[in-house]
Amino acid sequence: MAGLEFAWIVCAHVKSNAIVLTSAAHSIGIGAGQMSRVDAAKVAIMKATAATAESVAASDAFFPFRDGLDILADAGVRAVIQPGGSVRDAEVIAAANERGLSMVFTGERHFRH
């Protein structure tokens, strides 16, 4: 949970669309200012300065589809914090359950342009 809280705080200061990967106290990778959440996830993984296995992720806005979540799970992310609020939240929750990811919904967006 400490890693998710840290990721959420960092994510608040990143240009949207933003995906932030962290450990409990260190940023690992940041995907910022992308046209899609999927691209932001790919950039965060590509820019990672440490192994992404067992990391956690924050998203500044909801996942509109499961594809961004699947990319994070494939990289070894174990938990995600996000605002929720998509009409497809049920699909994203099902994907998280299927992939063994913990997910926290904040109800608050950090979306910045």
Side-chain angles (χ1 to χ4, degrees):
M1 194 63 192
L4 288 173
E5 290 174 2
F6 176 67
W8 187 244
I9 290 166
V10 172
C11 196
H13 302 283
V14 177
K15 184 106 170 157
S16 298
N17 286 314
I19 298 288
V20 174
L21 304 177
T22 72
S23 65
H26 301 287
S27 295
I28 293 172
I30 298 174
Q34 301 304 304
M35 295 298 290
S36 75
R37 201 139 312 279
V38 169
D39 289 344
K42 288 177 181 177
V43 170
I45 293 162
M46 179 184 70
K47 297 277 189 176
T49 58
T52 57
E54 304 299 319
S55 64
V56 299
S59 176
D60 65 342
F62 59 75
F63 287 90
F65 304 98
R66 70 173 287 161
D67 51 0
L69 194 70
D70 285 329
I71 288 168
L72 294 173
D74 289 345
V77 170
R78 302 303 304 149
V80 175
I81 188 166
Q82 60 133 326
S86 169
V87 297
R88 291 188 177 89
D89 275 350
E91 177 185 330
V92 173
I93 292 167
N97 289 338
E98 177 185 312
R99 302 299 300 267
L101 285 162
S102 297
M103 189 163 14
V104 174
F105 288 93
T106 66
E108 173 188 6
R109 290 178 65 168
H110 287 321
F111 205 66
R112 294 173 31 139
H113 287 285

